[in-house]
């Protein structure tokens, strides 16, 4: 294959077997998952509440031993929002970043991982419902590529380089047609691949 192509081949027999876990979040539905340094970070979804009066505003932190079920090590509640839509740990394992939807607390939230598995809140930017948060380091700075919810969908890029001092700033906003907006985003080699509902693939040069 050429430089711009990808070839995958996989073989296997039999069925997958659950090694451990399951049925361990009884009060909320689970949304997204990020993993780093022996820990898993899962979001929660609350457009429909599993337990009435319990929004999907929790981030669950799981210790992964490799020899059994994940163990709940910590939990974070994001105030005044109902869905933790996406979360990701930065490539250097120093930051956990979440996007949230609905309510006055909706937006983007940054937590420093001074110790793996124990996020420390540092910064947030609220007032807009966001999902599909993807992290990328460009020019030595950490950025979050996010999707703004309808109406007026957009690819919102946030500069997280000053998150340690409490600041998240919007770097750019690019309109996307209101067909439920962006479903997923992938950033590699200076390009952002943006997949949009009923639109297809957008490719942006992001340096």
């Amino acid at each position: 294959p050429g430089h711009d192509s990808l070839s995958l081949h996989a073989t296997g027999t039999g069925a997958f077997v659950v090694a451990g876990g399951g049925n361990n979040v009884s009060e909320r539905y689970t949304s997204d998952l990020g993993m780093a340094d022996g820990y898993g970070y899962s979001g929660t979804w609350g457009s429909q509440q599993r337990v009435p009066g319990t929004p999907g505003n929790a981030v669950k932190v799981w210790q992964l031993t490799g020899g059994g079920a994940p163990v709940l090590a910590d939990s974070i509640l994001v105030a005044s929002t109902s869905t933790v839509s996406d979360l990701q740990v930065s490539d250097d394992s120093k930051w956990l970043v979440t996007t949230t939807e609905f309510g006055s607390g909706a937006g983007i939230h940054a937590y420093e991982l001074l110790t793996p598995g124990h996020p420390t809140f540092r910064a947030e930017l609220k007032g807009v419902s966001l999902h599909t948060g993807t992290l990328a380091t460009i020019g030595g700075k950490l950025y979050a590529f996010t999707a703004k919810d309808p109406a007026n969908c957009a690819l919102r890029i946030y500069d997280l380089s000053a998150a340690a001092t409490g600041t998240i700033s919007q770097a750019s906003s690019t309109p996307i047609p209101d067909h439920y907006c962006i479903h997923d985003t992938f950033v590699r080699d200076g390009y952002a691949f943006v997949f949009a509902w009923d639109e297809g693939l957008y490719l942006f040069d992001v340096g």
Side-chain angles (χ1 to χ4, degrees):
H3 179 73
D4 60 349
S5 64
L6 177 66
S7 178
L8 297 175
H9 177 71
T11 60
T13 60
F16 286 108
V17 176
V18 177
N23 297 319
N24 46 20
V25 181
S26 60
E27 81 286 4
R28 293 172 170 89
Y29 294 112
T30 298
S31 58
D32 200 25
L33 173 68
M35 299 178 65
D37 299 322
Y39 287 88
Y41 304 86
S42 60
T44 49
W45 182 72
S47 294
Q48 296 178 359
Q49 295 180 357
R50 190 169 192 172
V51 175
T54 304
N57 64 337
V59 175
K60 304 285 187 175
V61 183
W62 306 92
Q63 187 172 13
L64 310 174
T65 64
V71 177
L72 186 64
D74 202 352
S75 185
I76 302 167
L77 294 181
V78 183
S80 302
T81 190
S82 64
T83 293
V84 178
S85 52
D86 281 276
L87 44 78
Q88 186 177 337
V89 177
S90 59
D91 287 342
D92 61 6
S93 298
K94 293 181 178 180
W95 292 93
L96 170 68
V97 178
T98 71
T99 54
T100 56
E101 298 176 275
F102 316 117
S104 60
I108 182 170
H109 316 264
Y111 302 83
E112 191 171 7
L113 294 170
L114 297 171
T115 303
H118 300 282
T120 299
F121 173 77
R122 293 301 185 210
E124 63 186 2
L125 194 155
K126 301 185 294 185
V128 58
S129 283
L130 301 171
H131 64 280
T132 313
T134 299
L135 300 181
T137 300
I138 300 172
K141 289 185 177 183
L142 183 63
Y143 291 90
F145 291 72
T146 72
K148 180 186 175 297
D149 282 2
N152 301 316
C153 297
L155 171 65
R156 290 276 181 94
I157 303 176
Y158 293 93
D159 183 345
L160 302 173
S161 61
T165 59
T167 300
I168 297 175
S169 57
Q170 182 178 305
S172 67
S173 181
T174 302
I176 299 291
D178 277 1
H179 297 151
Y180 191 71
C181 312
I182 297 168
H183 179 71
D184 211 349
T185 300
F186 180 70
V187 183
R188 179 176 176 176
D189 297 332
Y191 292 94
F193 300 80
V194 177
F195 301 86
W197 283 94
D198 294 338
E199 287 291 317
L201 171 65
Y202 289 85
L203 180 62
F204 297 99
D205 185 344
V206 294

PDB file of all heavy atoms in Angstrom, residues 13 52 73 110 157:
ATOM      1  N   THR A  13     -10.974 -17.015  15.872  1.00  0.00           N
ATOM      2  CA  THR A  13     -12.001 -18.053  15.988  1.00  0.00           C
ATOM      3  C   THR A  13     -12.634 -17.979  17.363  1.00  0.00           C
ATOM      4  O   THR A  13     -12.049 -17.460  18.316  1.00  0.00           O
ATOM      5  CB  THR A  13     -11.392 -19.445  15.788  1.00  0.00           C
ATOM      6  OG1 THR A  13     -10.379 -19.668  16.787  1.00  0.00           O
ATOM      7  CG2 THR A  13     -10.777 -19.580  14.402  1.00  0.00           C
ATOM      8  N   PRO A  52     -34.580   8.234  37.869  1.00  0.00           N
ATOM      9  CA  PRO A  52     -35.170   9.576  37.832  1.00  0.00           C
ATOM     10  C   PRO A  52     -34.479  10.525  38.816  1.00  0.00           C
ATOM     11  O   PRO A  52     -34.234  10.165  39.969  1.00  0.00           O
ATOM     12  CB  PRO A  52     -36.630   9.325  38.223  1.00  0.00           C
ATOM     13  CG  PRO A  52     -36.890   7.919  37.789  1.00  0.00           C
ATOM     14  CD  PRO A  52     -35.605   7.184  38.036  1.00  0.00           C
ATOM     15  N   ALA A  73     -12.246   3.693  41.287  1.00  0.00           N
ATOM     16  CA  ALA A  73     -11.236   4.342  42.112  1.00  0.00           C
ATOM     17  C   ALA A  73     -11.620   5.762  42.506  1.00  0.00           C
ATOM     18  O   ALA A  73     -11.190   6.262  43.540  1.00  0.00           O
ATOM     19  CB  ALA A  73      -9.899   4.371  41.369  1.00  0.00           C
ATOM     20  N   ALA A 110     -11.308  20.760  31.903  1.00  0.00           N
ATOM     21  CA  ALA A 110      -9.961  20.201  31.894  1.00  0.00           C
ATOM     22  C   ALA A 110      -9.521  19.833  33.304  1.00  0.00           C
ATOM     23  O   ALA A 110      -9.654  20.633  34.244  1.00  0.00           O
ATOM     24  CB  ALA A 110      -8.979  21.198  31.285  1.00  0.00           C
ATOM     25  N   ILE A 157     -12.651  24.638  18.056  1.00  0.00           N
ATOM     26  CA  ILE A 157     -11.319  24.255  18.505  1.00  0.00           C
ATOM     27  C   ILE A 157     -10.937  25.141  19.688  1.00  0.00           C
ATOM     28  O   ILE A 157     -11.040  26.368  19.611  1.00  0.00           O
ATOM     29  CB  ILE A 157     -10.291  24.382  17.373  1.00  0.00           C
ATOM     30  CG1 ILE A 157     -10.723  23.529  16.172  1.00  0.00           C
ATOM     31  CG2 ILE A 157      -8.907  23.955  17.854  1.00  0.00           C
ATOM     32  CD1 ILE A 157      -9.805  23.669  14.964  1.00  0.00           C
TER      33      ILE A 157
END
